[in-house]
Amino acid sequence: MTSGEFTQALEEARRQLATAIQERDRWNLEVVRLHNLVRTLAFNAQNAQRAEEVQHEIQHQIGIAQAIEALVNGAQSPISPVEVRDGLLFYGYDIGRYANPLALIHQTLKRLVADGRIREHGRTGRYTRSAFYEALLKA
């Protein structure tokens, strides 16, 4: 392969990676939304015990950090912890089981920043995609 062909292959791989990451995030949020629908329907069908089992199973598969990261990555502009909480509630993520959900969200956001998975937007208390994720979207 020539250097031009390697460069072209690299750009194509970056585009495919960006698309795959966007799809993963979209599917993570879709899983949370559908989980909430299943839980509601199961409750209405007198199967609350099974719905609770399904809820715990899904939330073990999609942890709060993954859900928060997906919300931040999917936001069109920097997002605040309160907006993250509202997004989790919108998608039906059960944050009511935590004593202080907003503190957990803050802690998780800080950990995701420390891990380089998202970044803090200046000193505004808002969060946005990592530089890596932004580069993938532009590829």
Side-chain angles (χ1 to χ4, degrees):
M1 284 181 115
T2 66
S3 64
E5 291 171 327
F6 276 116
T7 301
Q8 198 173 22
L10 174 61
E11 291 305 315
E12 177 60 25
R14 283 184 177 152
R15 279 191 293 281
Q16 289 176 2
L17 179 59
T19 299
I21 290 172
Q22 287 176 316
E23 282 294 307
R24 178 206 60 202
D25 289 346
R26 187 179 69 75
W27 282 113
N28 280 345
L29 294 174
E30 183 66 4
V31 166
V32 170
R33 184 191 71 77
L34 288 171
H35 166 259
N36 188 47
L37 177 62
V38 167
R39 182 181 56 172
T40 300
L41 292 173
F43 179 78
N44 289 331
Q46 303 300 322
N47 195 4
Q49 182 180 2
R50 177 66 186 138
E52 187 173 317
E53 291 170 5
V54 168
Q55 176 183 8
H56 289 300
E57 180 181 324
I58 294 296
Q59 289 200 358
H60 286 297
Q61 292 176 11
I62 304 292
I64 192 160
Q66 288 174 304
I68 290 173
E69 183 180 6
L71 284 168
V72 172
N73 285 333
Q76 296 301 312
S77 59
I79 187 170
S80 72
V82 171
E83 291 168 324
V84 169
R85 181 202 59 202
D86 294 345
L88 291 171
L89 291 171
F90 175 80
Y91 283 103
Y93 199 91
D94 181 19
I95 60 172
R97 62 189 171 128
Y98 301 107
N100 190 342
L102 205 49
L104 176 64
I105 290 167
H106 276 280
Q107 177 185 14
T108 303
L109 287 165
K110 294 292 183 189
R111 190 174 70 247
L112 289 169
V113 167
D115 290 346
R117 297 179 69 148
I118 63 172
R119 52 187 172 143
E120 195 164 0
H121 183 72
R123 295 178 186 232
T124 63
R126 300 176 84 74
Y127 298 85
T128 190
R129 302 174 183 111
S130 69
F132 173 75
Y133 197 91
E134 283 290 338
L136 287 175
L137 293 177
K138 292 178 183 176

